[in-house]
Amino acid sequence: MHMITGQSISPELAVGTIRFYRHIKNIVGDAIAANPNMELTRYRAAYQTSMEQLKNLYNKTLAQLSAAEADIFEMHRMLLSDNRFHHAIELSIIEEGKTAEYAVYSVGQKLCEQFMAMDDPYLQARGADIQDVMNRLLFALSGKTESALDHITEPFILMAEDLTPSETAQMSSDRLLGFVTRQGSPYSHTAILAKTMGVPALMSIDIDENWDGHLAIIDGEKQCLYIDPDDALVQEYQLKINSSRKRREKLQALIGLPAVTRDGHRVKLYANINTPADLAAAIETDAEGIGLFRSEFLYLNKNEYPDEEVQYTVYRNVLEKMAGKHIVIRTLDLGTDKKSPYLALEPEENPALGYRAVRICLSQPELFKVQLRALLRAAAHGGLHIMFPMIISVQEVRTIKKLMAACRNELQEKGLPCGNPVVGVMIETPAAALIADELAKEVDFFSIGTNDLAQYTLALDRNNARVHTFYDPHHPALLELIRMTADAAHRHNIPVCICGESGADLTLTKAFLSMGMDALSVAPNALLPLKGAIRDISLSV
Ligand code: PEP
Ligand code: MG
């Protein structure tokens, strides 16, 4: 047994078997084969394994879901055996002497790029399917589990070099006990996703592939990982997990009670969700609404940009499921660490300061208008709030309002009903906090994104593990910007909420309530502990 320390995102605990998740870029390796014949044999075996996997996935999906969903795997089998792919890979090994991995990767990438460059959106989307098939072959060649870990039926601790938000979002939370990664920072979107799933995550761990299949313990409180723990330690942690479950059960007593301090200061408590699947947890933890729906997760892991109808249905379902409660949908915040293949975002030197969020939306208004029309139509089914991320100027807000008016006209011309969403902005740049008085004249509410506000105020990349020890959510400059924002909101009689991770930081709760925050919006898991803390606070002492 040995113990390694890292950086944790929450005090949660987990005991389980490690499953190693490998990125494609770590699998490809050398280009030139020492023995091309052996590479050909390896490739053919991987091809057979992949064909088998796809057949099994087809049968499983057909039995559990529908023929339409299962057909994807049949289509992948066809792509895998397509001559432009299969035969081209064999030729690359035999004639060019490439390794199996390199041949699969180079042929796959080339074909994928050709599809992505096509005008027809259907054919463009096939690019992502090729990528999927290519990944499957690469994983089969590595002799490891598939990327999606979809054959693992036992609960597991996922170990990886790093995880992107889209990879994290794909993990099915029912079997996932926790994450352990070498890269990543506790303030990244990947960490936020882990929190929403209610599982622990340890970062900055010097991981070892040989731990695949070994038993491990994550102690999020002590920020450490035990590999091959002995029976006594496993038992000790199982007891700790049980008592933490009991503590959570006790918190159930707070359901139905208001979030009010001892001296009668009432604050609204909302949940942050990333996908509609998180709604169940928000309802279970008695959220008074959704304070932040990160709509961009609808766009990740998709082969194509979700059209107006798809988005409208999702937004409408959220409104209907929350039955008249307060719902805030944030418009898409892609860029930096959240990328979709069909958007073809180019690599940038400083992505956090680059082409992101409203900057993408305002540069590609036709793309943005699809979302705005879907939101306007959904607003006809309930009191919807929408807000815009990464705002730095009044001009941006005015341009967005003009685009919304144009969308309304387009919908009315088609005879489609629209509602009147309440419009707000996220205050997550120092610029927005400093002009909060001006912004307050333009919108109906503010929501403070402390994750980015800290990143931009402290000049610290929230995704960079090397600097995260300098990242200080209690920094006086940050708290001052939050206070200024709250004051400006109240001078203009609009409500202000905190939806960044600091909203769940119990060491800041009293400060935020003293600033007059009207609401806090946190991961569903954090909601009842926060309510308990608020009910114990007295602002007058
Ligand atoms: C924030 O920046 O605090 C926020 C809530 O948005 P995100 O974490 O999605 O960037
Ligand atoms: Mg943000």
Side-chain angles (χ1 to χ4, degrees):
M1 164 172 106
H2 60 291
M3 191 260 268
I4 310 113
T5 52
Q7 305 288 342
S8 156
I9 61 154
S10 66
E12 315 277 341
L13 312 167
V15 178
T17 308
I18 292 177
R19 293 292 169 201
F20 207 88
Y21 175 86
R22 301 172 97 216
H23 287 286
I24 297 309
K25 64 176 193 287
N26 300 329
I27 292 176
V28 177
D30 294 340
I32 303 299
N35 181 346
N37 282 339
M38 200 173 88
E39 294 302 303
L40 191 63
T41 311
R42 287 181 62 235
Y43 166 68
R44 286 184 176 159
Y47 174 85
Q48 287 309 336
T49 308
S50 303
M51 282 301 235
E52 268 307 293
Q53 286 173 351
L54 288 167
K55 196 164 120 200
N56 292 340
L57 280 170
Y58 175 84
N59 291 335
K60 186 172 135 194
T61 316
L62 190 65
Q64 291 175 359
L65 294 167
S66 68
E69 315 243 6
D71 279 349
I72 298 169
F73 299 113
E74 192 48 38
M75 192 253 285
H76 281 196
R77 271 170 69 86
M78 280 159 64
L79 284 176
L80 188 58
S81 55
D82 189 306
N83 261 347
R84 279 170 300 176
F85 191 59
H86 177 51
H87 190 55
I89 293 170
E90 295 210 341
L91 278 185
S92 170
I93 298 172
I94 300 164
E95 293 187 354
E96 295 167 24
K98 297 286 178 352
T99 60
E101 283 86 351
Y102 190 87
V104 168
Y105 184 73
S106 56
V107 170
Q109 272 303 96
K110 199 159 137 211
L111 202 58
C112 172
E113 279 160 23
Q114 282 168 3
F115 273 96
M116 296 263 194
M118 290 180 184
D119 287 335
D120 179 342
Y122 175 81
L123 291 174
Q124 270 178 14
R126 300 293 70 78
D129 289 308
I130 296 196
Q131 208 148 25
D132 235 55
V133 169
M134 176 181 88
N135 291 355
R136 183 173 298 284
L137 272 174
L138 287 171
F139 276 101
L141 277 168
S142 77
K144 302 281 173 180
T145 52
E146 283 171 68
S147 55
L149 300 157
D150 44 9
H151 286 319
I152 300 176
T153 47
E154 296 296 307
F156 61 95
I157 291 175
L158 187 128
M159 182 168 277
E161 274 295 320
D162 192 11
L163 288 168
T164 64
S166 70
E167 285 170 321
T168 316
Q170 271 183 66
M171 309 290 170
S172 71
S173 49
D174 51 340
R175 282 169 294 132
L176 193 67
L177 298 169
F179 293 101
V180 178
T181 59
R182 187 192 304 278
Q183 314 287 336
S185 119
Y187 301 98
S188 63
H189 282 102
T190 301
I192 290 171
L193 282 162
K195 275 192 205 170
T196 309
M197 291 176 186
V199 297
L202 270 180
M203 296 167 172
S204 307
I205 293 280
D206 194 11
I207 56 167
D208 181 342
E209 259 188 65
N210 295 321
W211 295 337
D212 193 20
H214 286 235
L215 188 67
I217 297 175
I218 299 180
D219 185 331
E221 199 167 353
K222 290 193 193 147
Q223 316 214 29
C224 69
L225 177 76
Y226 295 93
I227 303 289
D228 299 325
D230 57 31
D231 288 350
L233 198 67
V234 170
Q235 238 173 7
E236 184 186 321
Y237 272 88
Q238 261 149 2
L239 288 175
K240 283 187 186 178
I241 290 172
N242 270 344
S243 32
S244 124
R245 193 172 298 135
K246 283 198 186 117
R247 272 198 304 280
R248 293 214 150 260
E249 278 163 16
K250 269 198 189 151
L251 288 171
Q252 299 290 312
L254 295 170
I255 288 184
L257 298 179
V260 61
T261 62
R262 283 170 185 264
D263 45 354
H265 183 94
R266 171 83 164 93
V267 63
K268 297 269 171 57
L269 289 189
Y270 303 134
N272 291 346
I273 61 165
N274 303 317
T275 70
D278 300 330
L279 275 178
I283 294 168
E284 262 170 40
T285 49
D286 198 28
E288 292 176 77
I290 302 299
L292 167 65
F293 173 14
R294 291 182 165 95
S295 71
E296 61 275 7
F297 283 91
L298 287 177
Y299 299 76
L300 296 171
N301 305 326
K302 293 282 178 318
N303 294 344
E304 56 205 51
Y305 183 74
D307 67 19
E308 183 183 314
E309 215 49 44
V310 168
Q311 295 193 47
Y312 161 67
T313 310
V314 172
Y315 304 148
R316 180 181 167 172
N317 278 342
V318 170
L319 283 165
E320 288 176 350
K321 279 214 175 106
M322 290 303 285
K325 286 191 174 163
H326 179 96
I327 305 291
V328 184
I329 299 182
R330 168 175 80 188
T331 57
L332 73 84
D333 186 3
L334 288 173
T336 322
D337 55 338
K338 288 180 283 186
K339 297 197 171 131
S340 294
Y342 53 84
L343 277 183
L345 297 174
E346 284 169 18
E348 294 180 69
E349 193 127 325
N350 290 306
L353 304 179
Y355 194 51
R356 175 185 171 186
V358 286
R359 296 171 187 183
I360 297 181
C361 294
L362 294 177
S363 309
Q364 300 190 50
E366 287 315 314
L367 177 134
F368 189 28
K369 281 169 73 186
V370 174
Q371 182 171 39
L372 293 177
R373 283 194 299 268
L375 287 165
L376 283 167
R377 287 174 59 194
H381 301 275
L384 176 63
H385 293 60
I386 59 181
M387 67 180 178
F388 307 103
M390 283 293 290
I391 291 291
I392 56 165
S393 73
V394 170
Q395 198 47 47
E396 286 170 341
V397 181
R398 291 190 183 142
T399 309
I400 292 171
K401 288 206 277 191
K402 278 194 196 133
L403 283 174
M404 281 183 74
C407 289
R408 182 179 294 281
N409 285 340
E410 287 167 20
L411 291 170
Q412 276 164 353
E413 269 167 27
K414 285 191 192 160
L416 291 168
C418 339
N420 284 310
V422 181
V423 171
V425 286
M426 288 194 70
I427 304 290
E428 51 181 354
T429 61
L434 291 166
I435 58 162
D437 272 300
E438 296 310 306
L439 289 170
K441 292 177 196 157
E442 298 287 333
V443 295
D444 306 312
F445 69 96
F446 284 161
S447 190
I448 306 177
T450 50
N451 309 331
D452 278 314
L453 190 57
Q455 158 164 265
Y456 297 118
T457 306
L458 307 177
L460 274 167
D461 179 352
R462 63 191 269 198
N463 294 313
N464 184 343
R466 285 185 79 180
V467 292
H468 96 263
T469 44
F470 297 93
Y471 190 107
D472 176 12
H474 294 239
H475 194 292
L478 183 60
L479 296 180
E480 182 58 13
L481 288 172
I482 296 172
R483 191 190 57 72
M484 284 170 61
T485 304
D487 289 350
H490 294 142
R491 270 194 294 278
H492 296 272
N493 294 318
I494 63 168
V496 56
C497 171
I498 290 188
C499 66
E501 293 306 296
S502 294
D505 181 342
L506 303 185
T507 62
L508 285 169
T509 309
K510 190 167 179 185
F512 291 154
L513 297 192
S514 306
M515 291 177 196
M517 269 328 134
D518 299 289
L520 298 170
S521 191
V522 298
N525 227 16
L527 207 136
L528 289 176
L530 177 60
K531 192 191 275 189
I534 290 170
R535 292 176 61 87
D536 268 349
I537 287 176
S538 179
L539 294 186
S540 48
V541 285

